[in-house]
């Protein structure tokens, strides 16, 4: 005679509905993760190939992701791209990074000391991305940097800091960039010596000085001073540059930098 399984015995009383749910989440994540800076648009055929499923299945997923504003569809080109909700999620993710909370008091203190905009950036896998900007200076005209801005890898001061201290495998384009620019080669050597990068685009009169932030022996971000060429010196030995370097090192120590971290000494 068959007996009923009693609660708490560990036996299943019905089919497992967890697996299909997990597969749905995994497939949605796979679709969203297929978009990159180098590949911001994809066709349904490409998404189908990434999923390894039927076109009908891929279409069902893209329809659901569009309804959630996680995907956008361009009827003119028949291509998909990431939707606006992804930007909201990205901003929330960046705001939740431990380095942002840890850096806040250091950035506020540095603004009070030098009266220039201070910017915190992290590596997003392809380029530096601004995660915090403090521009409450006393200047009549303030320089503001938008959170979420992606900075150029080879021309921005923050990008050059990452080029200098990231492991080579994370910057596969570095050898080619260095071969093409003797100036970049010299700059990387100078950054290793002084721990600072200075950038002065002539087109807008803005000057940026950036310094690395380390966690352990790995770079985790950059701290930068952003001002005008009239108020920010390009001398890495200037009091402002040294205040930035001092603050970046103090923040690195707060995050647990090892004594062997390459701080430019």
């Amino acid at each position: 005679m068959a007996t009923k399984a009693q609660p708490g015995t560990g036996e299943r009383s019905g089919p497992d509905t967890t697996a299909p749910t997990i597969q749905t989440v995994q497939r949605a994540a796979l679709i969203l993760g297929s978009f990159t800076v180098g590949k911001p648009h994809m066709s349904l055929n490409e998404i189908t190939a990434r999923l390894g499923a039927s076109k009908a299945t891929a279409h069902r997923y893209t329809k659901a992701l569009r309804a959630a504003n996680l995907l956008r569809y361009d009827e003119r080109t028949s291509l998909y791209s990431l939707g606006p909700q992804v930007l909201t999620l990205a901003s929330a993710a960046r705001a939740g990074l431990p380095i942002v909370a840890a850096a806040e008091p250091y950035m506020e203190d540095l603004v009070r000391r030098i009266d220039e905009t201070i910017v915190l950036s992290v590596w997003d896998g392809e380029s530096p991305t601004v995660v915090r900007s403090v521009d409450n200076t006393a200047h009549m005209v303030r320089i503001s940097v938008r959170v979420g801005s992606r900075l150029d890898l080879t021309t921005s001061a923050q990008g050059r800091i990452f080029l200098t201290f990231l492991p080579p495998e994370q910057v596969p384009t570095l050898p080619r960039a260095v071969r093409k620019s003797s100036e970049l080669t010299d700059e990387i050597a100078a950054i290793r010596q002084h721990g600072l990068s200075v950038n002065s685009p002539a087109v807008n009169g803005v000057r940026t000085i950036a310094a690395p932030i380390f966690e352990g022996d790995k770079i985790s971000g950059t701290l930068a001073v952003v001002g005008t060429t009239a108020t920010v010196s390009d001398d890495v030995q200037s009091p402002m540059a040294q205040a930035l370097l001092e603050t970046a090192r103090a923040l690195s120590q707060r995050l647990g930098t090892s004594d062997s971290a390459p701080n430019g000494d």
Side-chain angles (χ1 to χ4, degrees):
M1 179 177 176
T3 59
K4 273 189 177 181
Q6 297 298 316
T9 62
E11 296 184 65
R12 296 178 180 175
S13 58
D16 182 8
T17 59
T18 304
T21 302
I22 292 175
Q23 184 185 54
T24 298
V25 174
Q26 289 174 333
R27 283 180 166 178
L30 179 60
I31 292 173
L32 297 175
S34 297
F35 294 90
T36 66
V37 174
K39 184 71 173 176
H41 302 95
M42 294 180 68
S43 67
L44 183 60
N45 286 338
E46 290 175 312
I47 293 174
T48 300
R50 294 292 180 95
L51 276 182
S54 68
K55 183 174 286 190
T57 298
H59 184 265
R60 188 168 68 249
Y61 275 89
T62 58
K63 185 177 180 180
L65 291 170
R66 287 175 63 191
N69 287 324
L70 291 168
L71 277 187
R72 181 188 291 113
Y73 180 68
D74 187 334
E75 294 184 359
R76 182 178 56 86
T77 61
S78 298
L79 294 176
Y80 292 88
S81 59
L82 293 177
Q85 185 61 22
V86 174
L87 297 176
T88 301
L89 295 174
S91 297
R94 286 191 291 264
L97 292 172
I99 191 175
V100 177
E104 190 79 27
Y106 292 88
M107 297 175 71
E108 295 284 357
D109 180 66
L110 188 56
V111 169
R112 286 192 291 269
R113 290 174 62 187
I114 67 175
D115 198 29
E116 297 290 348
T117 296
I118 307 300
V119 174
L120 174 68
S121 303
V122 299
W123 182 250
D124 70 2
E126 294 183 331
S127 67
T129 297
V130 176
V131 292
R132 184 76 175 93
S133 177
V134 181
D135 61 3
N136 52 326
T137 66
H139 295 311
M140 182 178 297
V141 178
R142 295 181 180 179
I143 294 180
S144 296
V145 181
R146 181 177 58 84
V147 171
S149 298
R150 305 180 83 248
L151 308 174
D152 189 270
L153 185 57
T154 60
T155 62
S156 71
Q158 295 94 322
R160 291 183 172 198
I161 289 289
F162 280 110
L163 280 179
T164 302
F165 295 111
L166 277 175
E169 61 272 15
Q170 291 191 40
V171 200
T173 59
L174 178 57
R176 181 182 178 186
V178 168
R179 284 196 301 271
K180 291 175 63 177
S181 172
S182 59
E183 185 269 336
L184 181 58
T185 303
D186 294 340
E187 170 72 358
I188 289 175
I191 291 171
R192 291 195 178 278
Q193 179 182 357
H194 303 294
L196 292 167
S197 176
V198 181
N199 187 39
S200 307
V203 292
N204 54 19
V206 173
R207 177 169 288 144
T208 302
I209 309 176
I213 301 168
F214 295 94
E215 289 189 54
D217 58 355
K218 296 180 180 179
I219 185 171
S220 63
T222 65
L223 201 62
V225 174
V226 182
T228 67
T229 53
T231 61
V232 178
S233 169
D234 61 356
D235 181 4
V236 295
Q237 298 299 329
S238 69
M240 185 179 293
Q242 291 304 303
L244 169 65
L245 186 59
E246 176 186 317
T247 301
R249 288 176 172 174
L251 177 54
S252 295
Q253 291 176 354
R254 163 73 174 76
L255 293 170
T257 296
S258 63
D259 292 336
S260 59
N263 274 313
D265 292 325

